Structures are given as C-alpha cells and as structure tokens.
Amino acid sequence: MPSSPEPVLHWFLPTGGDGRDPGGVTAVQGRSAAATRRGADLGYLAQVARAAEQAGFARLLTPVGLGCVDPWVLTSAVAAVTERIGFLVAFRAGLAQPTLIAQQADTFRRLFGDRIALNVVTGGDPVEQRAYGDHLPKDERYVRTGELMRVVRELLDGSAVTLHGRHVRVEDARLAAPSVGTPVPLYFGGASAEAEEVAAHHAEVQLLWGEPPAAVAERVARVRAGAARAGRSLRFGIRLHVIARDTSAEAWQEADRILAGFDPEAVRASQERFARMDSTGQARMTALHGGSAESLTVAPNLWAGIGLVREGAGTALVGSHDEVAQRLFEYGRAGIDEFVLSGYPHLEEAYRVGEEVAPRLRALTGALTGATAGEVAA
C-alpha cells in the first residue's frame, strides 16, 4: 500500500524536443518528422510547464544527458515564468562535486522557494559516460553515487560535512547561510542490486520504470526491506507514458499510429545502442519487447512500443481515461506513491491527463480511503 492516500502526479519536460511521436519516425500520412518536431526552446518549454501547472501536476521532471539541454539552466529559466509548479532536476552523479550540487540546489531554493527536488542519475551508458569524461565502471559509479548523495543531503540540511570516501573527498564543506526550509528530496533510480542498496540508504524516493505491476510490487518490497534494515523508510515513484482517450479503441488507434511511424532503421539503431549499455533497468525495459513489434502488450493496458526507439522509460499505459486511472490505481496498490507521467505531445497531453485521468485516479483513491476509514470506524 502507498504511504500516502493521495497520489502525487508529476509531468515531464521534454528538453530534447517534442512532437506527436517519441522519435525515429519517417514521413507518415503526409507529415515529415521535421515538420512535427518542436524544439526545446524556452518559449515552448514554458508553455508545457504552464500547462502542467494549470493541470495540477506537482513537479516537472527534467532529464539529463547528451540528447537534451542542461537541466539547471533550463529549469531556472522556466521557474521564473511559472508560479507554483516544482521541478525534479536530474543531474549526473560524478560530473560535479557534491558541494557545488548542493550550492546550486540551495540557490534554486533561495530564488524560487521550496520548488526543487533532485533526481540523482548514476548513468547507464558507458559510451555517454566517457563522452562526459567519466571512466569508472558500473559498480564504482554506484559507490560514488552513494557517497555523493550522503554529502548533498547533509549539506542541504544545514550541516558541515567532512567525508573521505572512496571517490568523494570533502573537508569541512558547508553552505553559506543555507535557506533551510522544506528538505530538498533526493529521487534516485536504478534496478540493479547496487542501485537498490544506494536507494535503501540514501534516497527519499526510489523511481522505477513502468514494468508490470507484479514486478513493481516485488521490487518495492525488496527495496523497502533494505531501507528498513538501514533504519529508514522511503517512498516510491514510477515513470510511465500515457496514451489515454475517451474510448479504449481511440487510445489503441493512437498507439498503432505511433508504431506505424517508427523507421525500422531507427528501431534497429536504437536497439543496438541499448544493448551496449550496462544499465539493468534498460535491460529490463528491452526484455519486455525483445526488440520486436510482434508482442508489445506486456500487461493489461501496458504497452512496450515506445521502448523500441526511446531509451529509459519505454512503456505506456494505453486505454480509456477510466482504464488508465484504474491501472495507475493498481500501481498505487503495489506500493507506488508518485507518478511521473508524460505523453506526446507534452503540451496537449498535460491538459488531457491532468483533466481526464487525474480526477478519476483521485476518485478511486478517495473511495479506497473512505472504505478503509469506514472499516476502522466499524
């Protein structure tokens, strides 16, 4: 069961560009890929942010990597043209020292209030890591991530920190007059045993990608038990795309349209790139479809088609608004507290999901809470 009866919904800020398709498309029905792409410029991303804010989402996840713009610069600009929505700012562990990261987060908090959370990314593509100048093997990257998260957490909480770790070494680190208010939560993803150990000891929220609910429940139970052994508790979030329409038939028609637009060469190149990665999470996403478009429905309303061309989160909930809300509710029953959702294009779909799916999910959760309260009263 989730730790909070009220589900927390976040949206995704497409800082690598946006459009009606996830990418890797050719001309379909008279449209070219270039004609349907929307660049990651401030004007458009601010539109997406304001739509998500108006639709009631709590935070915007900004990715990090060579394929997108820098999240710190971008979110600072977008925060200035929004009022309430928070930002889940991803950063790649090891590319900056933890004292600087804490200083950046604290500056953001000072300028925009308690609107920032951090998404700590260890990195799962050795080629991309080397492009950034990082040559550590996977197991050592996780050691470094854990050390970094410890330092960032303590600095943001106002402590002075000295740590002589295996990879992180700081002496008498501290923030000048930190704006200590609501703690800046640390979100963290990863599916390997090393990642789950880091999450159990250092994360406030463990993020998962959209696997079938039974697999999610198994992972939640395992990480929760690890946290309990460390004397901690944490929340869980899940990253999913959404294709929701008034009817199930309309939603699946849209999924079929997206699939028909994939360039076979783009699928082949994407799968080759995913295979070189040392990310356990990416391997689990790939295993859902095996690189083939033949059997993509891997659980009720859970479609793995997006993972044919998109790295990372590669599954979408496809169905009517009621069906998608029901599936999200089931993930909540499996232990998920927070949902990081997205849809193509992110501007229009922020309104659709926020106005159609979110109220249905809250109604389901409210009905469960009311029933539970009635049982207690009885």
Side-chain angles (χ1 to χ4, degrees), residues 258-278:
I258 290 174
L259 182 62
F262 288 165
D263 184 345
E265 176 58 25
V267 172
R268 184 199 63 76
S270 296
Q271 294 305 306
E272 285 187 358
R273 184 163 63 88
F274 302 161
R276 82 187 183 202
M277 297 180 180
D278 56 12

Side-chain angles (χ1 to χ4, degrees), residues 12-31:
F12 182 78
L13 201 57
T15 61
D18 198 13
R20 290 187 62 198
D21 304 281
V25 297
T26 55
V28 179
Q29 296 178 352
R31 299 181 294 107

Side-chain angles (χ1 to χ4, degrees), residues 193 195-203 218-234 236:
E196 291 182 350
E197 185 73 7
V198 170
H201 284 82
H202 300 289
E218 178 184 342
R219 289 192 57 204
V220 166
R222 187 166 59 245
V223 177
R224 182 171 284 149
R229 288 192 295 271
R232 304 182 68 246
S233 62
L234 69 165
F236 293 87

Side-chain angles (χ1 to χ4, degrees), residues 61-141:
L61 170 64
T62 55
V64 64
L66 293 176
C68 50
V69 300
D70 178 74
W72 284 108
V73 175
L74 188 279
T75 54
S76 296
V78 174
V81 295
T82 52
E83 297 177 0
R84 302 176 306 279
I85 197 163
F87 296 87
L88 179 49
V89 181
F91 70 89
R92 196 66 64 90
L95 303 188
Q97 292 300 315
T99 307
L100 176 60
I101 294 166
Q103 186 178 36
Q104 290 172 312
D106 187 60
T107 301
F108 196 108
R109 182 169 57 178
R110 184 184 303 275
L111 294 176
F112 302 111
D114 295 325
R115 296 170 62 189
I116 184 170
L118 297 177
N119 180 29
V120 187
V121 179
T122 299
D125 182 352
V127 174
E128 186 179 49
Q129 291 298 118
R130 290 194 292 271
Y132 277 117
D134 182 16
H135 296 267
L136 283 183
K138 176 181 177 178
D139 56 346
E140 291 300 314
R141 292 202 301 270

Side-chain angles (χ1 to χ4, degrees), residues 134-332:
D134 182 16
H135 296 267
L136 283 183
K138 176 181 177 178
D139 56 346
E140 291 300 314
R141 292 202 301 270
Y142 278 111
V143 172
R144 179 179 60 192
T145 297
E147 294 175 348
L148 179 144
M149 291 175 72
R150 173 185 167 184
V151 174
V152 169
R153 171 78 283 141
E154 293 183 14
L155 287 172
L156 287 172
D157 288 346
S159 300
V161 182
T162 293
L163 175 66
H164 295 162
R166 191 183 304 175
H167 300 286
V168 175
R169 300 177 184 178
V170 298
E171 294 186 4
D172 197 25
R174 66 187 70 211
L175 298 177
S179 55
V180 178
T182 302
V184 176
L186 299 181
Y187 288 64
F188 175 72
S192 66
E194 301 97 326
E196 291 182 350
E197 185 73 7
V198 170
H201 284 82
H202 300 289
E204 276 80 56
V205 182
Q206 167 75 338
L207 283 177
L208 289 69
W209 288 333
E211 297 181 70
V216 167
E218 178 184 342
R219 289 192 57 204
V220 166
R222 187 166 59 245
V223 177
R224 182 171 284 149
R229 288 192 295 271
R232 304 182 68 246
S233 62
L234 69 165
R235 292 167 59 84
F236 293 87
I238 194 167
R239 176 81 178 89
L240 286 161
H241 305 282
V242 173
I243 303 175
R245 296 294 184 268
D246 291 336
T247 68
S248 183
E250 290 175 295
W252 285 107
Q253 183 179 18
E254 175 64 7
D256 289 341
R257 183 200 65 78
I258 290 174
L259 182 62
F262 288 165
D263 184 345
E265 176 58 25
V267 172
R268 184 199 63 76
S270 296
Q271 294 305 306
E272 285 187 358
R273 184 163 63 88
F274 302 161
R276 82 187 183 202
M277 297 180 180
D278 56 12
S279 164
T280 301
Q282 183 62 61
R284 292 172 73 105
M285 284 285 99
T286 301
L288 292 176
H289 53 69
S292 170
E294 294 302 314
S295 182
L296 294 173
T297 303
V298 297
N301 300 99
L302 186 64
W303 184 67
I306 290 176
L308 291 172
V309 295
R310 187 193 190 280
E311 69 178 273
T315 52
L317 290 177
V318 182
S320 68
H321 304 308
D322 286 321
E323 288 173 330
V324 171
Q326 181 64 44
R327 298 291 89 77
L328 291 172
F329 176 72
E330 290 169 3
Y331 279 114

